[in-house]
Amino acid sequence: MEQHERPQDRPASFGATMKAVFWSFFGIRKGKDYERDAASLNPLYVIAGALLGVAIFIGVLLLLVRFAVTHG
């Protein structure tokens, strides 16, 4: 008898992990989505996604500051 994996048992893709990390930056996540993410996300993808998100966030802040200083 074959074991069939349920979709929530499979590891999440990098794109799905990035989506979860994106929503976590805002602090909005449904309870069932959080539970599914906790069971399926790859920790290395989460770390990479968080570092990428922080880098983008800092880059946007630096651009806003540069714009404010030059046009202020």
Side-chain angles (χ1 to χ4, degrees):
M1 186 160 136
E2 276 186 38
Q3 288 280 91
H4 290 286
E5 288 185 357
R6 295 182 312 223
Q8 64 268 27
D9 290 341
R10 283 184 268 147
S13 67
F14 185 71
T17 303
M18 288 302 296
K19 180 180 171 185
V21 169
F22 172 77
W23 285 115
S24 71
F25 269 93
F26 293 105
I28 2 179
R29 199 77 175 141
K30 294 180 183 174
K32 68 176 184 162
D33 290 338
Y34 172 77
E35 291 173 13
R36 186 186 68 230
D37 290 344
S40 66
L41 293 180
N42 182 339
L44 295 177
Y45 285 174
V46 172
I47 292 169
L51 291 174
L52 182 63
V54 167
I56 291 171
F57 180 71
I58 290 172
V60 168
L61 286 179
L62 289 173
L63 287 173
L64 288 173
V65 168
R66 180 174 289 173
F67 178 78
V69 168
T70 57
H71 291 87

